[in-house]
Amino acid sequence: AGCGGPGLVWLHMAAELHPRSGKLIGLSNSNRTAQRNQPVQEFNHGLVLSREPLRDRDVFTVRIDKKVNSWSGSIEIGVTALDPAGLEFPSSATGLKGGSWIVSGCSVLKDSRSVLEEYGRDLDQLGEGDRVGIQRNGKGELHLWVNGQDCGTAASGLPSRLWAVVDLYGKCTQVTVVSCEPPPEMDGEEVEDEIVSTQAVSIMVSRAHSRPDKFPNNFDSNSSPAGSSGGVAGLGVAAGSMTTNDALLFHEKCGTLIKLSNNNKTGERRRPLDEFNNGVVMTNRPLRNNEMFEIRIDKLVDKWSGSIEIGVTTHNPNNLDYPATMTNLRSGTIMMSGCGILTNGKGTRREYCEFSLDELQEGDHIGLMRKATGALHFYINGIDQGVAANQTPGVVYGVVDLYGMAVKVTIVHNHNHSDRLRRNNAIMRALSPDVGRPRPALSLTPEPDVPDRLLFHLNCGQKAAIISDGRTALRPHATDDFNHGVVLSNRPLHSNEVFQVRIDKMVDKWAGSIEIGVTTHNPTYLQLPSTMTNLRSGTWMMTGNGVMHNGTTILDEYGHNLDRLKAGDTVGVVRKEDGSLHFFVNGVPQGPAAWNVPPSVYAVVDLYGQAAQATIMDDMADLPPLPDDSSEGPTAMSPGSPCSVSGATAANDLRFHQLHGTNAVITNGGRTALRQNCRSEFNDAIVILNRCLRDGELFEIVIQKMVDRWSGSIEAGVTAIRPEELEFPNTMTDIDYDTWMLSGTAIMQDGNTMRNNYGCDLDSLTTGSRIGMMRTATGDLHYFINGLDQGVACTGLPPEVYAVIDLYGQCVQVSITSSSGPLDNSLCTSNITEKSFPIHSPVAGVAHRLHSKHGKNVVLLGDGCQALRVDGYAHGIVFSAKELKTDEVFEVKINKVDDRWSGSLHVGLTTLQPPDLPSCPLSGLSPSLTQLRSKVTWVLAGSEVRRNGVLQRQNYGCSLDRLTVGNRVGVKRCSDDTMHILIDGEDMGPAATAVAKNVYAVLDLYGKVTAVSIVSSTLVEDSESVKAPSLSPDSCSEGEQDSTPVREVCHLRGSCFEPALVPTVMTFLENHGKNIQLSNQNLTAARVSSYNQGLLVTAQALPRQQLFQVCIDRLNPSWTSSLSLGVIGHSPDRLNFPSTACCLKRSVWLLQRDSVFHNSLKICENYGPNLDTCPEGTILGLLVDSSGCLHLFVNGMDQGVAAQDIPSPCYPLIDLYGQCEQVTIVTNHVSVVGGEREDMRCQGDMEKADMVDGIKESVCWTPPPEVNPNKTCEYQALCSRFKELLTLPDGYFNEDAKYNLCYCESCHKLRGDEAYYKRGEPPRDYALPFGWCRFALRIKTHCEVSNAFKKWHIAYHGTSVGSLRRILDHNQLLSAESSSIFSLSPVKTEGHGSYGEPEENSAPEREIPRVQLSPTMRYSGLEVFAPKVQFRDPRSLRCHQAQVGFQVCVRPGSYKVGPTSLGISEPLDPRFSNAEIEWITKEKGGTLLYGLLIRVE
């Protein structure tokens, strides 16, 4: 008994835990229970050891008390020779060395290295209440015990003095020591029998559970648990052991390019730089319910687009004929591709999660699980992305497609500790900012006097180093590398704590410099990127003079440019208590950069480019005090701060707030808002302004995109609720306090309708419409539609209201316009206000004014800069205040139209002297300008030029009748005594000759145009020497024989296109995509391999108002798609080129196909021609005007504004993608594609030579040459092949192919065609035959016929293929009765042949045969008039359907206009009503065939 006492004490102490433990461990229950603190926030630092060394054969056993589901991995147990009394505890047990053996999952590690895989039970599968023990037996072998059963020998050759180790890792958060004693003795035979029994049960359980394709051939008694006497326990253990032996692997049958390794756990695609598919791998057995199938990306290549795809399939790999890509399978397959879900190869969820598989990096994890309910979930870096599909089939295999960039993956079993560590770190990175905050390490000798100094964390970028006790960070080899210099603070910033660094050292080798910001990521666990702006979560950085959030620019022009700083300068950052983020440069606050930044963020410094070394400035006495909001300058108004009318904030600081509805997305620097998933979601897309409106300030947005799927549309209004306090509802009209909204025509307050039938209907607005809101100084709310005040909507608004937009229903995308900003502080009670028509004078000088003498219905506003017709449709004549100087442009913009009236603005020059007129009102002045004949007056009305009311010229330029709100009209008298008209800045050429010298500009606000404002200025005296060159087109317009000239390199006078005086010579930069080869002194770029990696930028920045042009030299039809181009807002020297331009996401504006993208997000659709269809020889140009607007030019034609607020400097960017293989910079004047010689004259020029005092001589007029820029149009070639099949004689067709014209979408956009033109005397509208291809017919050349073409109207006639030859033989359209192919003479037949016209087109038997025509092919091209025939293309051997018709000239007066004879109620053409869409003629010789039309489907 005497010796038993000390033995009992030793046993008691051996069953305790050592008081020294991991820094997150708390001990209790006499040191028998250990608990990991912060179990949801931290997954490691949970190490505990036994108090005493183990005796041989003693099993140190613990019970799992608590687990959480947040992490990967669980309890780890083992032994170590290290004495805990002097041990420096690592973060996890697998970090122990110096003689340590640890069982982790199913693996055994010795000194952090794996020595045995697939051992014993999987510790990660144990639950609360399970018991785990560790033992060193008398032979020096290590054994694991689970629930009292020996798992066999794990290791041998162990030393005698060892401490037990338990790691409360991952899911395991609490354990209790239950014993430390030898196991009970068991008879050898019983053990052997139990093992056999257990194996048998295991096989039965496994077969019943999953029916795998293959079973293990043998069972190792060492890896199978010993049996237990309890049947239930034995069954459970056996099932568990089967899980380990039947681990998920890749099936040995796989894609043709796959190579398997690592015991079929790793799959790799061979020849990854040559092949991008045939990389499908599948699991060796079906997935079990709730079983995680997870892979790790081991290797990526950047040659291809697209990347890994993962999912499930019902197809058994043994029987499957593997496809090139899994998305080709059309049955039993669900795949995640990009960020969407594909079911049987078709997209079922376009935006499944916020992560895209194409953006994952090497080391990232992707997993999937089929739940017992049948729901399929995907996991990215351990984060559940939610339900991807419901009712997934019961038996599915996991499948991975190593597609595109993805080359190599490995299955993660979570048995490997390094895999679990990667995954848990990934989970840490993705969790909320509160996760990962460091906890002060426990210290035996605390030092309370040591301050909590802000230092750099030791975990830094690959090329960075920390010195001076953590105060200084540097890139030691700054001249060799420009990135991998990211450093973070060692702790989170306190609220209002300034983190400031001084730049110690700079190098001048690189572009770019220091970047600073904050991040929610804990530096301990962060896998540091090459640059901090690559992080896509929880990060705000100031870079250059902009601010980026999660890699996307949110502010373009924020503060001082960090790239211009020098050594000795300081930069700082602070997060204030209100959640706003502010930056400092040399102690000067730059204003708020972001809001709602979470607490506990770490400071970040990126020693990028020139920045080589920086030191933390922690001596706050030398720094300026933290300024209040009021001291932050005029641009520092917080979204939540009260607005001040007296503030000097710039008018363009209006942005959408970063808080918004769940389906809304804010882009384009806060200027654009869109609703994602617009065809599946119709609400939850509310956006609100970043600050409250000031009195008299106009907030205006333009509708950029709509869909026709929903009812209802945009809703707009104001609210007194601050954005931070607004709980965004489904729709804004759901809010029942402090909110005023316009919905349709109803004004609603707090969700209740106050009044109906307000002056406008938001549901009727279309793409391009503008909506504005203004709160007046008296508290009234006004709405503006397209710049026009709609009157008071409601009164009594509080002083501080925020504009709010609800992107509801059909409305998908809006952008803030440049018209937003302060107008006046009050509005008159009348709607006739200057505020409705803001003045824009882009030309330098003194703004033009209108004369005080004017028509009786005119009111002048804005000091004579605006004119408004207040009554009737006439008496709207106004004059310029002074005579026009030579070459001086007088220009106005249309502000308001009234569609109740016909006719439009008239403009011209007059010798009438307004000062000689009597005082206003001028009741004696002519009611319209065309009737003004007291003095010589030249006027353009519609498209007719008149002199003193006498017609001088028809079809001049673009008809003024087509103009609407926003269009500009100008007039000038040139030095050669000609009058020129300008439309939207484009000179239409000479309209009249022999114009007197002393003339005034005169306008008539006639018909629908009721308000204009002046946008031009007087010429300065010396402007003659620097004025822009006038337009001199080289070729005539496409011309539906309209004389609108093709726009060459447009330097438009009086607009924003003032040319640079000294053009910058542009060349391509040596830094470019890896498949690019430069030549011709860097003027020519060619892609020499593959279809991508063809990015180019220019070495020089693009000056404002200079046109940069490239010519497409070579196309390769083997590929699809073609080039894209745009501008990039930062230096290209620091650009790391991705595979395609669409991967660039920082300060990039890109024109691709017919859309505009900003930072990879689409901001505009249907812009310009489709770039994919541009043929070789096409000249594409980019121009940034003085207002910062980006324009695209195609063959010299301006396609309009593509994007706004382009920063300066910017660099042209070109992506030689797909078909486009070579381009060359155009350095001098190059004729447009299809243009004629430079001496070719337009119709306008030819007429000018024949004009005498405005009277045109009788000359023989022939149509001008027509331009078809798309010489390689596939559609035109297909129509030509069909025409050849018709075997029509060539003598009927014009020999000159340039008169043949294709009207497919690409061709007519490349030419810049309008949809409608006028022709004849009197002029009549007709529509271009969009979608058809015209083959010009031979026209007699004598003057009578040629003049007929000009004076007659244009119409269309649909017919059958069988009637073509007879019509051409007679050179006249034939009635239905005489067009049968069975009739060889023009006599009436009884019946119709197979190609005869439909019965509806037949005339009654007693009537004279008649011919049906229409001014639009939308009617004449109906199948009832133009039956479809099927043919096989001799080239492609594909079958198509074709229709035919004619374009004809019709003699005025020979036809009758009437309603459709088909009884169609739906409108066919917006320009022509169904009541006048059909023309009937019975006169022979009343029509003249001009062109054969063919349409192929």
Side-chain angles (χ1 to χ4, degrees), residues 352-407:
Y352 164 59
C353 68
E354 60 178 323
F355 294 99
S356 173
L357 300 187
D358 297 344
E359 297 178 357
L360 296 185
Q361 313 271 333
E362 293 177 358
D364 284 331
H365 287 218
I366 316 169
L368 62 87
M369 180 185 295
R370 182 197 181 277
K371 303 278 189 178
T373 60
L376 181 65
H377 290 241
F378 287 92
Y379 299 78
I380 296 181
N381 289 324
I383 305 300
D384 188 354
Q385 303 301 307
V387 177
N390 294 304
Q391 300 178 349
T392 309
V395 179
V396 289
Y397 294 80
V399 58
V400 177
D401 192 345
L402 294 178
Y403 181 83
M405 296 188 292
V407 174

Side-chain angles (χ1 to χ4, degrees), residues 16 221 228 248 254 275 306 343 614 624 732 742 856 1134 1141 1417 1474:
E16 291 182 10
S221 60
S228 67
L248 271 178
C254 49
E275 301 286 345
T343 302
M732 203 62 193
L742 173 59
K856 67 177 183 179
R1134 61 182 291 181
M1417 277 304 286
N1474 286 6

Side-chain angles (χ1 to χ4, degrees), residues 155 217 282 308 346 371 490 644 671 794 843 886 915 955 1198 1394 1469:
N217 294 325
M282 293 174 60
I308 193 168
K346 297 183 179 180
K371 303 278 189 178
N490 63 335
S644 172
R671 301 177 184 88
C794 50
V843 184
T886 301
N955 303 315
D1198 182 13
S1394 60
D1469 192 301

Side-chain angles (χ1 to χ4, degrees), residues 684-702:
D684 282 320
I686 296 169
V687 291
I688 190 171
L689 267 190
N690 61 340
R691 63 167 174 82
C692 52
L693 291 176
R694 302 184 179 95
D695 290 347
E697 181 179 30
L698 176 68
F699 168 69
E700 186 181 58
I701 54 100
V702 59

Side-chain angles (χ1 to χ4, degrees), residues 1320-1476:
E1321 292 183 3
R1324 184 177 285 275
D1325 287 339
Y1326 69 99
L1328 290 193
F1330 287 164
W1332 295 72
C1333 189
R1334 187 185 73 194
F1335 297 92
L1337 298 172
R1338 189 186 297 273
I1339 301 178
K1340 297 179 182 180
T1341 56
H1342 60 80
C1343 293
E1344 180 182 355
V1345 176
S1346 296
N1347 284 331
F1349 173 78
K1350 184 179 180 183
K1351 296 179 181 179
W1352 290 14
H1353 297 147
I1354 294 291
Y1356 302 98
H1357 175 74
T1359 187
S1360 64
V1361 171
S1363 304
L1364 287 180
R1365 180 62 186 269
R1366 304 252 359 256
I1367 292 175
L1368 292 172
D1369 288 343
H1370 289 79
N1371 198 26
Q1372 282 287 330
L1373 297 177
L1374 303 179
S1375 64
E1377 292 83 353
S1378 59
S1379 61
S1380 171
I1381 62 172
F1382 299 110
S1383 175
L1384 298 180
S1385 59
V1387 295
K1388 182 179 177 183
T1389 58
E1390 295 300 326
H1392 299 291
S1394 60
Y1395 290 101
E1397 294 293 342
E1399 193 66 32
E1400 291 87 340
N1401 206 20
S1402 302
E1405 193 169 324
R1406 291 176 294 176
E1407 290 188 8
I1408 300 174
R1410 60 182 188 172
V1411 175
Q1412 289 168 311
L1413 305 169
S1414 177
T1416 173
M1417 277 304 286
R1418 295 189 183 185
Y1419 182 71
S1420 291
L1422 293 176
E1423 193 170 358
V1424 69
F1425 298 126
K1428 295 179 180 179
V1429 295
Q1430 187 169 342
F1431 76 100
R1432 182 182 296 272
D1433 181 16
R1435 174 177 296 181
S1436 66
L1437 301 182
R1438 295 177 57 190
C1439 290
H1440 300 273
Q1441 288 186 322
Q1443 294 174 278
V1444 295
F1446 285 98
Q1447 185 180 35
V1448 298
C1449 304
V1450 190
R1451 186 173 67 244
S1454 67
Y1455 61 90
K1456 178 181 179 182
V1457 177
T1460 170
S1461 59
L1462 303 179
I1464 300 175
S1465 58
E1466 300 83 7
L1468 297 173
D1469 192 301
R1471 179 63 68 94
F1472 307 102
S1473 71
N1474 286 6
E1476 53 184 23

Side-chain angles (χ1 to χ4, degrees), residues 14 43 81 203 231 543 611 812 945 1020 1271 1352 1357 1485:
F43 61 88
I203 293 174
T543 167
V812 174
V945 180
V1020 292
K1271 292 184 177 179
W1352 290 14
H1357 175 74

Side-chain angles (χ1 to χ4, degrees), residues 767-814:
T767 302
S769 299
R770 306 193 318 273
I771 309 169
M773 289 170 282
M774 179 193 297
R775 181 198 180 278
T776 69
T778 58
D780 297 338
L781 177 63
H782 287 243
Y783 286 92
F784 294 77
I785 303 299
N786 295 323
L788 302 180
D789 187 1
Q790 305 299 307
V792 177
C794 50
T795 60
L797 268 63
E800 295 179 9
V801 291
Y802 296 81
V804 61
I805 300 293
D806 192 346
L807 300 175
Y808 182 82
Q810 295 181 357
C811 184
V812 174
Q813 179 173 315
V814 300

Side-chain angles (χ1 to χ4, degrees), residues 247-251 263-265 282-285 411 413:
L248 271 178
L249 303 172
F250 287 130
H251 198 281
N263 193 25
N264 286 6
K265 287 193 292 186
M282 293 174 60
T283 57
N284 62 331
R285 61 168 174 81
I411 295 178
H413 284 148

